Amino acid sequence: MQRWQPKLGLIQETLLLTLHARALDAGQPSPILGDTLSADLAGTIDYDFGKLKVKPNLVLTTALRAKKLDEVVRAYTAAHPGCVVLDLGCGLDTRMFRCAPPPGVDWYDIDFPEVVHLRAACLPGRSHLVGADLTSSDWLTAIPGDRPAMIVAEGLLPFMPGDSFQAMTRALAAHFPSGELALNGYTRFAAWAMKYHPTIKALGIKAAQGFDDPHEPESWGAGLKLVEEQILTRAPEVARFPQPLRALTRLTARSTALSRQGARILRYRF
Ligand SMILES: C[S@@+](CC[C@H](N)C(=O)[O-])C[C@H]1O[C@@H](n2cnc3c(N)ncnc32)[C@H](O)[C@@H]1O
C-alpha cells in the first residue's frame, strides 16, 4: 500500500486532526459518523497521529458536527440539484463521498495549494480542486457565479486571521445569486481557549477568532440571515455517547451559554 508523507505547515496540519478524529469514530462499535473512508485514508498517511493526543470527546464532537453539516449539505443539494457546493478549508475531508450529491451539482474543494496537491494524490474524486489562500478572493473567479451555492466551512473560522473570514463571506455573497453558508461556530472564549487544547498546543498553533452571538454575522455586510443554530449537546446522537461523556453532555445541554462553548452548527442564508 502506498503511504503519503504530508509536507504541511502548522495550520494545514490541523486537517490531520479532524481526519484522525473521524477515523477513530469509524472504529467505534457505535460510530456517530461511521466514515470508514476517512479511516482507510488515515491509514495511508505516514504521520504520527498519536502525537495529536485526540481525546474521546473530540472524536465525538468532530464526528457529530461533520454529520450535522452533511445533513445541511444533503438537504440543500436535494432542493437545488443544479447548485455549486464549496467546501472551504476542505483538508482531507471526505464530505463529497458521504453526501453523494445529485449529478448536476458541481462541488469545489478549496484549501491551500499544498493541501489540494496532497488531496489530489491520496483522495481522488470528482470534485473540482482549488488551491488558494482564502484570505484573498482571487480564486472566486474560477467558480461559476450564476448558480445557487451551498458553502460549508468546517473547522476553518478560528484559523482565519483578523477579519478575513468576514471579508471572505462578503466576497462569496456578492459572487452568487443566492445560497447558504454553514459552519461550526466557535465562541470568542472557545477560540481563545483552543490554544491551550493539548492537540492545538502540540501543533504549536495560536488559533484566534470566534463570535458569541449567532446573529453577529448578520452585521458583516454580506447580507447573511441566520436560519438555524443547532446546539449539539442537545442532538439525539448524544444518546449514543459512551458514559461518562453522555451524562456530562446532557448536563451541559441544560445551559445554552455553556453548550455554545462546545460544538454548534450555524446556518445562514444570503
Ligand atoms: C481543522 S482543519 C479542517 C479541515 C476539514 N474542513 C475537516 O473538517 O476535516 C482546517 C483547514 O482549514 C484550512 N485553512 C485554514 N486557513 C486557510 C486559508 N487561509 N486558506 C485556505 N485554507 C485554510 C487548513 O489548511 C485546514 O485544511
Side-chain angles (χ1 to χ4, degrees):
M1 179 178 56
Q2 175 139 23
R3 305 253 301 157
W4 306 99
Q5 293 193 323
K7 299 207 175 6
L8 302 170
L10 291 178
I11 297 279
Q12 291 85 340
E13 211 172 322
T14 60
L15 69 88
L16 296 171
L17 167 62
T18 40
L19 173 67
H20 182 46
R22 288 190 297 274
L24 291 176
D25 168 70
Q28 297 303 305
S30 179
I32 300 294
L33 183 66
D35 180 359
T36 52
L37 180 57
S38 278
D40 293 346
L41 177 59
T44 69
I45 308 282
D46 188 3
Y47 181 79
D48 175 16
F49 286 103
K51 80 171 186 185
L52 300 175
K53 300 183 177 69
V54 170
K55 300 247 171 61
N57 65 332
L58 188 70
V59 173
L60 291 166
T61 52
T62 304
L64 185 53
R65 79 185 194 195
K67 182 170 189 248
K68 297 296 173 188
L69 286 168
D70 286 357
E71 287 170 8
V72 170
V73 173
R74 277 195 209 102
Y76 191 90
T77 54
H80 304 84
C83 73
V84 294
V85 175
L86 272 54
D87 192 337
L88 305 176
C90 58
L92 290 181
D93 197 357
T94 53
R95 170 156 290 120
M96 185 174 178
F97 298 87
R98 297 193 304 265
C99 290
V105 169
D106 264 327
W107 188 295
Y108 291 83
D109 282 316
I110 304 138
D111 208 303
F112 286 114
E114 59 267 48
V115 174
V116 159
H117 286 142
L118 176 66
R119 191 178 171 98
C122 67
L123 187 61
R126 75 167 176 91
S127 71
H128 306 278
L129 297 179
V130 181
D133 181 343
L134 291 163
T135 58
S136 117
S137 58
D138 306 346
W139 59 276
L140 258 176
T141 52
I143 318 282
D146 56 351
R147 293 156 67 179
M150 176 70 240
I151 301 165
V152 60
E154 180 173 359
L156 176 66
L157 171 69
F159 303 110
M160 297 271 292
D163 71 348
S164 57
F165 193 89
Q166 290 88 324
M168 179 185 72
T169 61
R170 285 192 288 277
L172 286 164
H175 188 74
F176 297 105
S178 63
E180 282 192 10
L181 168 69
L183 65 145
N184 61 306
Y186 296 81
T187 60
R188 279 179 219 289
F189 174 76
W192 171 82
M194 262 178 87
K195 60 177 177 277
Y196 298 106
H197 191 284
T199 308
I200 296 295
K201 217 168 156 183
L203 291 176
I205 291 170
K206 300 203 178 350
Q209 63 166 316
F211 54 86
D212 299 337
D213 180 354
H215 287 282
E216 188 174 312
E218 293 176 341
S219 66
W220 288 352
L224 298 179
K225 183 84 195 132
L226 179 70
V227 182
E228 184 185 24
E229 177 188 30
Q230 287 190 48
I231 303 259
L232 297 192
T233 55
R234 296 171 188 161
E237 288 85 351
V238 172
R240 306 215 311 266
F241 283 16
Q243 294 289 25
L245 283 171
R246 192 191 322 149
L248 193 63
T249 307
R250 290 215 158 121
L251 200 62
T252 308
R254 294 177 182 205
S255 158
T256 299
L258 269 183
S259 292
R260 280 186 174 147
Q261 303 307 331
R264 61 187 173 139
I265 300 298
L266 301 169
R267 188 159 69 86
Y268 300 89
R269 196 162 288 150
F270 59 87

